[in-house]
Every structure is written in structure tokens, then in C-alpha cells.
């Protein structure tokens, strides 16, 4: 009997089963955790979408109803008819698109300079820029507002765009990616062919930075589009509110218009989804760059 057990233990198939047991459970545990996270994030979105088509009295019924019964579009019609929603939508979208385009270009230019050029004070300048990431935005809100007032810049759109023009995280991200993705030999070959430094950047460097540009564009767009604290300080006219301010004003009203808040939140999520769909390939490529050794 001892011989039989020893022979079974020494058989390759039994050894593989014994060793594969704990290893096989790990992927299952990872899948279970990932599914739980997906459910945790998706359920509130589905609840908001479903409740936006319910009457206000049916939103908080217990037990909760997964599907609206009866189905109604009254929340959307009331929101669009009684509130300047499209003005809020236009302000947020224009500010987010312009600030994203400007910040992507500026961050790529600055990151490329930090990665491939040598100049006096480069290390100190980069350290100061990088250390600013440790300063919460709420700390600089008041000084930034005072600077804009002293400079006489009162245009709402300009004031909303300024904080997102050159984020330290974007410059750091582009610098790290440029060091890996832009070979020095390519730059030297372009200079030998007679390319100017700015032409070198626009024609050679930017195409090589495309994955990182897509990831940075999504990050910058969401930061600007979802910003609440800075527009709260800068904007005073309700007609010029951004979407977060406008939706918050609906809930802050005496009636606590939760039905309109849900409808506005669903409509406000559309640009973010479009942005992600258009740049999902660049976003995934930019986030995974450097994760696998070539």
C-alpha cells in the first residue's frame, strides 16, 4: 500500500494536479474581485439611468424597482424647458475641449523639452514643477483667483480654462513617455535633413507620442469637464454655470429636484462617453506603455 501511494505521488499527472490547485484558484479569485468591482461601479449608473425615467415619488420606493413603471420622459422635458441646461452644457463642453487641446499641446512640448534638451536649471525647474503635484488644488484657488482679478481678466471662459493649461502631471507623463518613445537617432536624422526644432516637434515627435496624447486628452477632458470648485468661485451668473454647478443648483433648491438632477446627470455623461469611445485605443496604449519589456 505504501508503494502504491508513493507511485501515485511520483506520477507526473498527480504532481501537476497538486501544483496546479492553488495556482488555478488565483485567476478565479481575481475574476471574482473584478466582477464585484464592475458591479459596484455599474449599479449606481444603471440606477441613475433607470430612475431618470421615473416620477419623483417612485425614485425612492422600497423595495426599489429596477425598471421604471410607468416610464416617463417628464424629467427630461421639464429639465430642458425650465432650466438653461443647454447653456450649462455648452459652457462645460467648450471649456473642456479648448483646455484639453491647449494642455495636450503644451504638456507635450514641455515634456519633450525636459526629456531631450539640455539647458541650465533644467533639474531645478523640473523638481519645482514636479513638487507642485503635492500641493492640493484647493490651496491655490484663492491666490489664483486674486491673480486673475489683479490682471483684469474677467472673461468667464478664459478664467475657466487657465488652471488646466499646463498641469504638472501632464508634463511629467509626457516627459516620461518621450524618453522611451522618441529615439535620439530619429531626432538627429531629422535635424540633418534640415528640419527646424518646431517642425521636428510637430512632424516627428507628436506622431510618436500619439498613445500618450490620447491618454492625457481623456484625463484632461474629464478633469476640466467635471471640475466643481474652481467654477464655483469664478462663475456668478447662473446662465454661465457649468454642468456640475447647474446640476448642484437643482439639488440645492428648496424643492430638492432629484428627478431633474438624475436626468441632467445622464445627459452630462454623454460627452465623457463619446470622448472615451473616440480615444479608447490611445488611452489603453498610453496606460500600458512601458508595462511590457520589448
Amino acid at each position: 500500500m505504501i508503494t502504491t501511494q508513493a507511485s501515485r505521488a511520483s506520477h507526473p499527472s498527480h504532481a501537476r494536479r497538486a501544483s496546479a490547485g492553488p495556482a488555478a484558484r488565483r485567476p478565479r479569485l481575481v475574476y471574482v474581485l473584478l466582477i464585484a468591482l464592475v458591479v459596484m461601479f455599474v449599479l449606481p449608473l444603471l440606477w441613475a439611468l433607470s430612475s431618470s425615467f421615473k416620477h419623483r415619488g417612485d425614485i425612492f420606493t422600497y423595495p426599489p424597482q429596477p425598471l421604471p413603471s410607468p416610464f416617463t420622459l417628464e424629467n427630461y422635458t421639464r429639465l430642458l424647458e425650465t432650466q438653461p441646461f443647454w447653456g450649462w452644457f455648452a459652457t462645460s463642453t467648450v471649456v473642456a475641449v479648448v483646455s484639453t487641446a491647449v494642455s495636450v499641446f503644451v504638456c507635450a512640448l514641455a515634456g519633450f523639452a525636459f526629456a531631450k534638451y539640455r539647458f541650465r536649471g533644467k533639474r531645478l525647474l523640473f523638481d519645482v514643477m514636479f513638487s507642485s503635484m503635492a500641493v492640493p488644488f484647493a490651496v491655490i484657488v484663492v491666490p489664483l483667483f486674486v491673480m486673475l482679478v489683479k490682471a483684469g481678466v474677467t472673461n468667464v471662459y478664459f478664467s475657466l480654462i487657465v488652471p488646466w493649461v499646463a498641469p504638472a502631471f501632464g508634463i511629467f507623463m509626457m516627459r516620461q513617455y518621450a524618453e522611451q518613445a522618441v529615439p535620439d537617432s530619429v531626432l538627429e536624422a531629422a535635424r540633418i535633413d534640415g528640419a527646424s526644432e518646431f517642425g521636428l516637434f510637430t512632424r516627428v515627435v507628436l506622431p510618436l507620442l500619439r498613445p500618450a496624447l490620447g491618454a492625457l486628452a481623456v484625463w484632461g477632458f474629464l478633469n476640466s469637464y467635471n471640475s466643481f470648485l474652481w467654477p464655483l468661485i469664478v462663475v456668478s451668473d447662473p446662465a454661465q454655470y457649468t454642468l456640475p454647478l447647474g446640476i448642484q443648483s437643482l439639488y440645492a433648491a428648496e424643492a430638492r429636484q432629484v428627478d431633474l438632477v438624475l436626468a441632467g446627470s445622464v445627459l452630462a455623461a454623454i460627452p465623457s462617453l463619446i470622448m472615451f469611445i473616440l480615444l479608447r485605443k490611445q488611452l489603453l496604449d498610453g496606460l500600458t506603455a512601458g508595462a511590457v519589456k520589448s
Side-chain angles (χ1 to χ4, degrees):
M1 184 173 180
I2 296 176
T3 306
T4 305
Q5 292 178 349
S7 62
R8 288 179 179 175
S10 61
H11 197 277
S13 62
H14 291 287
R16 281 195 298 268
R17 291 174 192 168
S19 61
R25 294 192 194 99
R26 289 171 191 160
R28 295 176 185 174
L29 180 61
V30 171
Y31 290 143
V32 170
L33 292 176
L34 290 177
I35 292 173
L37 287 175
V38 169
V39 171
M40 184 175 65
F41 285 110
V42 169
L43 275 182
L45 300 178
L46 295 179
W47 180 85
L49 178 62
S50 174
S51 299
S52 66
F53 296 103
K54 297 178 182 178
H55 293 288
R56 185 182 303 181
D58 298 333
I59 294 177
F60 297 107
T61 56
Y62 187 84
Q65 301 175 354
L67 298 177
S69 180
F71 182 91
T72 179
L73 293 175
E74 181 182 355
N75 298 334
Y76 291 91
T77 56
R78 284 178 53 215
L79 173 67
L80 300 179
E81 291 176 357
T82 62
Q83 305 294 333
F85 178 82
W86 293 121
W88 305 340
F89 186 87
T91 301
S92 290
T93 304
V94 170
V95 169
V97 170
V98 174
S99 63
T100 299
V102 174
S103 67
V104 165
F105 183 81
V106 171
C107 290
L109 191 62
F112 172 64
F114 278 121
K116 297 299 179 179
Y117 287 91
R118 295 181 181 179
F119 51 90
R120 184 175 299 178
K122 170 183 172 180
R123 183 66 183 178
L124 177 61
L125 184 61
F126 181 80
D127 289 342
V128 171
M129 182 276 301
F130 185 75
S131 62
S132 67
M133 295 174 59
V135 180
F137 182 71
V139 175
I140 65 172
V141 162
V142 174
L144 183 59
F145 179 74
V146 172
M147 288 174 60
L148 290 177
V149 172
K150 294 292 185 181
V153 181
T154 57
N155 183 272
V156 172
Y157 286 94
F158 183 84
S159 302
L160 291 174
I161 291 172
V162 162
W164 315 109
V165 168
F169 172 78
I171 297 175
F172 172 74
M173 175 182 175
M174 300 309 299
R175 182 247 191 184
Q176 296 299 106
Y177 194 86
E179 286 186 343
Q180 300 178 6
V182 183
D184 293 335
S185 57
V186 174
L187 301 179
E188 292 301 327
R191 291 189 179 103
I192 293 174
D193 289 339
S196 63
E197 293 302 313
F198 188 74
L200 178 71
F201 173 73
T202 56
R203 299 178 184 178
V204 178
V205 176
L206 283 182
L208 295 175
L209 299 180
R210 186 175 301 172
L213 293 176
L216 181 60
V218 174
W219 177 83
F221 182 88
L222 293 179
N223 271 350
S224 176
Y225 189 76
N226 297 324
S227 175
F228 177 78
L229 179 60
W230 180 244
L232 181 64
I233 295 175
V234 174
V235 183
S236 58
D237 185 2
Q240 296 179 323
Y241 276 175
T242 59
L243 278 173
L245 285 183
I247 293 174
Q248 189 271 342
S249 67
L250 297 176
Y251 186 75
E254 295 181 1
R256 300 282 184 181
Q257 305 175 77
V258 181
D259 47 352
L260 301 189
V261 169
L262 291 172
S265 300
V266 171
L267 294 177
I270 294 176
S272 301
L273 293 176
I274 294 175
M275 186 73 174
F276 176 78
I277 292 172
L278 293 177
L279 297 177
R280 66 185 183 280
K281 185 178 184 302
Q282 289 82 358
L283 175 63
L284 296 177
D285 290 344
L287 293 177
T288 57
V292 180
K293 271 191 173 183
S294 56

